[in-house]
mmCIF file of all heavy atoms in Angstrom:
data_model
loop_
_atom_site.group_PDB
_atom_site.id
_atom_site.type_symbol
_atom_site.label_atom_id
_atom_site.label_comp_id
_atom_site.label_asym_id
_atom_site.label_seq_id
_atom_site.Cartn_x
_atom_site.Cartn_y
_atom_site.Cartn_z
ATOM 1 N N ARG I 823 -34.664 5.410 25.909
ATOM 2 C CA ARG I 823 -35.488 6.064 26.974
ATOM 3 C C ARG I 823 -35.575 7.589 26.678
ATOM 4 O O ARG I 823 -34.611 8.124 26.304
ATOM 5 C CB ARG I 823 -34.926 5.881 28.354
ATOM 6 C CG ARG I 823 -35.024 4.395 28.909
ATOM 7 C CD ARG I 823 -34.262 4.285 30.107
ATOM 8 N NE ARG I 823 -32.760 4.519 29.924
ATOM 9 C CZ ARG I 823 -32.164 5.190 30.787
ATOM 10 N NH1 ARG I 823 -32.730 5.646 31.881
ATOM 11 N NH2 ARG I 823 -30.826 5.376 30.504
ATOM 12 N N TYR I 824 -36.811 8.092 26.846
ATOM 13 C CA TYR I 824 -36.901 9.580 26.530
ATOM 14 C C TYR I 824 -36.973 10.330 27.802
ATOM 15 O O TYR I 824 -37.593 10.006 28.737
ATOM 16 C CB TYR I 824 -38.197 9.723 25.779
ATOM 17 C CG TYR I 824 -38.236 9.100 24.476
ATOM 18 C CD1 TYR I 824 -38.637 7.785 24.276
ATOM 19 C CD2 TYR I 824 -37.695 9.762 23.339
ATOM 20 C CE1 TYR I 824 -38.558 7.177 23.064
ATOM 21 C CE2 TYR I 824 -37.674 9.247 22.132
ATOM 22 C CZ TYR I 824 -38.074 7.871 21.927
ATOM 23 O OH TYR I 824 -38.043 7.282 20.748
ATOM 24 N N PRO I 825 -36.158 11.427 27.784
ATOM 25 C CA PRO I 825 -36.282 12.397 29.007
ATOM 26 C C PRO I 825 -37.566 13.141 29.013
ATOM 27 O O PRO I 825 -38.242 13.178 27.983
ATOM 28 C CB PRO I 825 -35.064 13.199 28.780
ATOM 29 C CG PRO I 825 -34.935 13.309 27.313
ATOM 30 C CD PRO I 825 -35.330 12.016 26.820
ATOM 31 N N LEU I 826 -37.792 13.789 30.149
ATOM 32 C CA LEU I 826 -39.086 14.430 30.150
ATOM 33 C C LEU I 826 -39.022 15.784 29.426
ATOM 34 O O LEU I 826 -39.918 16.142 28.707
ATOM 35 C CB LEU I 826 -39.471 14.679 31.694
ATOM 36 C CG LEU I 826 -39.908 13.361 32.371
ATOM 37 C CD1 LEU I 826 -40.156 13.772 33.865
ATOM 38 C CD2 LEU I 826 -41.135 12.818 31.800
ATOM 39 N N ALA I 827 -38.011 16.574 29.666
ATOM 40 C CA ALA I 827 -38.110 17.889 29.174
ATOM 41 C C ALA I 827 -37.032 18.320 28.115
ATOM 42 O O ALA I 827 -37.223 19.257 27.408
ATOM 43 C CB ALA I 827 -38.003 18.920 30.343
ATOM 44 N N SER I 828 -35.990 17.555 27.994
ATOM 45 C CA SER I 828 -34.941 17.958 27.148
ATOM 46 C C SER I 828 -34.565 16.950 26.101
ATOM 47 O O SER I 828 -33.494 16.757 25.683
ATOM 48 C CB SER I 828 -33.669 18.312 27.975
ATOM 49 O OG SER I 828 -33.349 17.204 28.742
ATOM 50 N N TRP I 829 -35.665 16.306 25.652
ATOM 51 C CA TRP I 829 -35.461 15.287 24.593
ATOM 52 C C TRP I 829 -35.026 15.969 23.360
ATOM 53 O O TRP I 829 -35.692 16.924 22.883
ATOM 54 C CB TRP I 829 -36.699 14.460 24.446
ATOM 55 C CG TRP I 829 -36.649 13.331 23.523
ATOM 56 C CD1 TRP I 829 -36.346 12.042 23.849
ATOM 57 C CD2 TRP I 829 -36.866 13.367 22.114
ATOM 58 N NE1 TRP I 829 -36.318 11.299 22.706
ATOM 59 C CE2 TRP I 829 -36.635 12.041 21.616
ATOM 60 C CE3 TRP I 829 -37.187 14.414 21.211
ATOM 61 C CZ2 TRP I 829 -36.722 11.725 20.307
ATOM 62 C CZ3 TRP I 829 -37.352 13.969 19.851
ATOM 63 C CH2 TRP I 829 -37.141 12.651 19.499
ATOM 64 N N THR I 830 -33.981 15.571 22.723
ATOM 65 C CA THR I 830 -33.596 16.165 21.504
ATOM 66 C C THR I 830 -33.645 15.068 20.347
ATOM 67 O O THR I 830 -34.513 15.083 19.531
ATOM 68 C CB THR I 830 -32.188 16.754 21.594
ATOM 69 O OG1 THR I 830 -31.296 15.856 21.950
ATOM 70 C CG2 THR I 830 -32.178 17.899 22.445
ATOM 71 N N MET I 831 -32.698 14.139 20.406
ATOM 72 C CA MET I 831 -32.681 13.146 19.398
ATOM 73 C C MET I 831 -32.610 11.833 20.078
ATOM 74 O O MET I 831 -32.426 11.706 21.249
ATOM 75 C CB MET I 831 -31.523 13.331 18.459
ATOM 76 C CG MET I 831 -31.485 14.651 17.729
ATOM 77 S SD MET I 831 -32.821 14.839 16.420
ATOM 78 C CE MET I 831 -31.880 14.197 15.098
ATOM 79 N N TYR I 832 -32.784 10.725 19.310
ATOM 80 C CA TYR I 832 -32.670 9.423 19.904
ATOM 81 C C TYR I 832 -31.451 9.159 20.649
ATOM 82 O O TYR I 832 -31.481 8.539 21.681
ATOM 83 C CB TYR I 832 -32.786 8.413 18.797
ATOM 84 C CG TYR I 832 -34.051 8.474 17.931
ATOM 85 C CD1 TYR I 832 -33.935 8.418 16.543
ATOM 86 C CD2 TYR I 832 -35.312 8.695 18.485
ATOM 87 C CE1 TYR I 832 -35.047 8.494 15.775
ATOM 88 C CE2 TYR I 832 -36.380 8.798 17.719
ATOM 89 C CZ TYR I 832 -36.274 8.719 16.400
ATOM 90 O OH TYR I 832 -37.321 8.807 15.558
ATOM 91 N N SER I 833 -30.362 9.656 20.136
ATOM 92 C CA SER I 833 -29.065 9.254 20.615
ATOM 93 C C SER I 833 -28.727 9.981 21.903
ATOM 94 O O SER I 833 -27.709 9.571 22.482
ATOM 95 C CB SER I 833 -28.084 9.428 19.603
ATOM 96 O OG SER I 833 -28.094 10.606 19.092
ATOM 97 N N LEU I 834 -29.372 11.067 22.273
ATOM 98 C CA LEU I 834 -29.007 11.844 23.386
ATOM 99 C C LEU I 834 -29.299 11.050 24.701
ATOM 100 O O LEU I 834 -30.445 10.739 24.923
ATOM 101 C CB LEU I 834 -29.660 13.155 23.379
ATOM 102 C CG LEU I 834 -28.947 14.324 24.109
ATOM 103 C CD1 LEU I 834 -27.459 14.483 23.522
ATOM 104 C CD2 LEU I 834 -29.705 15.572 23.986
ATOM 105 N N THR I 835 -28.296 10.967 25.509
ATOM 106 C CA THR I 835 -28.593 10.295 26.767
ATOM 107 C C THR I 835 -29.549 11.058 27.598
ATOM 108 O O THR I 835 -29.288 12.281 27.865
ATOM 109 C CB THR I 835 -27.191 10.055 27.600
ATOM 110 O OG1 THR I 835 -26.344 9.457 26.727
ATOM 111 C CG2 THR I 835 -27.479 9.166 28.775
ATOM 112 N N PRO I 836 -30.576 10.487 28.095
ATOM 113 C CA PRO I 836 -31.601 11.314 28.748
ATOM 114 C C PRO I 836 -31.200 11.997 30.005
ATOM 115 O O PRO I 836 -31.529 13.108 30.184
ATOM 116 C CB PRO I 836 -32.634 10.197 29.125
ATOM 117 C CG PRO I 836 -32.427 9.100 28.224
ATOM 118 C CD PRO I 836 -30.961 9.064 27.966
ATOM 119 N N ASP I 837 -30.369 11.302 30.817
ATOM 120 C CA ASP I 837 -30.116 11.951 32.053
ATOM 121 C C ASP I 837 -28.847 12.871 32.120
ATOM 122 O O ASP I 837 -28.488 13.494 33.117
ATOM 123 C CB ASP I 837 -29.967 10.847 33.117
ATOM 124 C CG ASP I 837 -28.980 9.806 32.742
ATOM 125 O OD1 ASP I 837 -28.405 9.993 31.662
ATOM 126 O OD2 ASP I 837 -28.780 8.859 33.500
ATOM 127 N N SER I 838 -28.228 12.940 30.976
ATOM 128 C CA SER I 838 -27.049 13.892 30.985
ATOM 129 C C SER I 838 -26.957 14.650 29.612
ATOM 130 O O SER I 838 -25.986 14.509 28.925
ATOM 131 C CB SER I 838 -25.738 13.226 31.195
ATOM 132 O OG SER I 838 -25.510 12.190 30.243
ATOM 133 N N PRO I 839 -27.973 15.329 29.298
ATOM 134 C CA PRO I 839 -27.913 15.981 27.984
ATOM 135 C C PRO I 839 -26.998 17.168 27.818
ATOM 136 O O PRO I 839 -26.652 17.550 26.812
ATOM 137 C CB PRO I 839 -29.475 16.423 27.734
ATOM 138 C CG PRO I 839 -29.915 16.669 29.193
ATOM 139 C CD PRO I 839 -29.235 15.641 30.012
ATOM 140 N N SER I 840 -26.635 17.707 28.974
ATOM 141 C CA SER I 840 -25.745 18.864 28.940
ATOM 142 C C SER I 840 -24.337 18.563 29.342
ATOM 143 O O SER I 840 -23.630 19.460 29.776
ATOM 144 C CB SER I 840 -26.325 19.925 29.784
ATOM 145 O OG SER I 840 -26.368 19.567 31.141
ATOM 146 N N ARG I 841 -23.973 17.347 29.119
ATOM 147 C CA ARG I 841 -22.643 16.925 29.468
ATOM 148 C C ARG I 841 -21.830 16.567 28.288
ATOM 149 O O ARG I 841 -22.281 15.789 27.426
ATOM 150 C CB ARG I 841 -22.671 15.782 30.497
ATOM 151 C CG ARG I 841 -21.235 15.384 31.001
ATOM 152 C CD ARG I 841 -21.327 14.294 32.055
ATOM 153 N NE ARG I 841 -21.859 14.858 33.271
ATOM 154 C CZ ARG I 841 -21.830 14.156 34.403
ATOM 155 N NH1 ARG I 841 -21.482 12.984 34.404
ATOM 156 N NH2 ARG I 841 -22.234 14.832 35.526
ATOM 157 N N ILE I 842 -20.613 17.101 28.166
ATOM 158 C CA ILE I 842 -19.695 16.773 27.107
ATOM 159 C C ILE I 842 -18.574 15.891 27.611
ATOM 160 O O ILE I 842 -18.023 16.244 28.612
ATOM 161 C CB ILE I 842 -19.166 18.061 26.403
ATOM 162 C CG1 ILE I 842 -20.396 18.724 25.636
ATOM 163 C CG2 ILE I 842 -18.052 17.703 25.395
ATOM 164 C CD1 ILE I 842 -20.031 20.064 25.069
ATOM 165 N N HIS I 843 -18.367 14.898 26.915
ATOM 166 C CA HIS I 843 -17.234 14.006 27.323
ATOM 167 C C HIS I 843 -15.983 14.281 26.529
ATOM 168 O O HIS I 843 -16.036 14.459 25.308
ATOM 169 C CB HIS I 843 -17.663 12.585 27.197
ATOM 170 C CG HIS I 843 -18.930 12.246 27.837
ATOM 171 N ND1 HIS I 843 -19.060 12.126 29.155
ATOM 172 C CD2 HIS I 843 -20.136 12.015 27.266
ATOM 173 C CE1 HIS I 843 -20.308 11.925 29.456
ATOM 174 N NE2 HIS I 843 -21.023 11.752 28.311
#
Side-chain angles (χ1 to χ4, degrees):
Chain I
R823 289 173 297 139
Y824 294 88
L826 289 176
S828 58
W829 186 89
T830 56
M831 300 290 270
Y832 302 134
S833 51
L834 205 58
T835 308
D837 51 1
S838 61
S840 62
R841 181 174 287 186
I842 289 175
H843 307 287

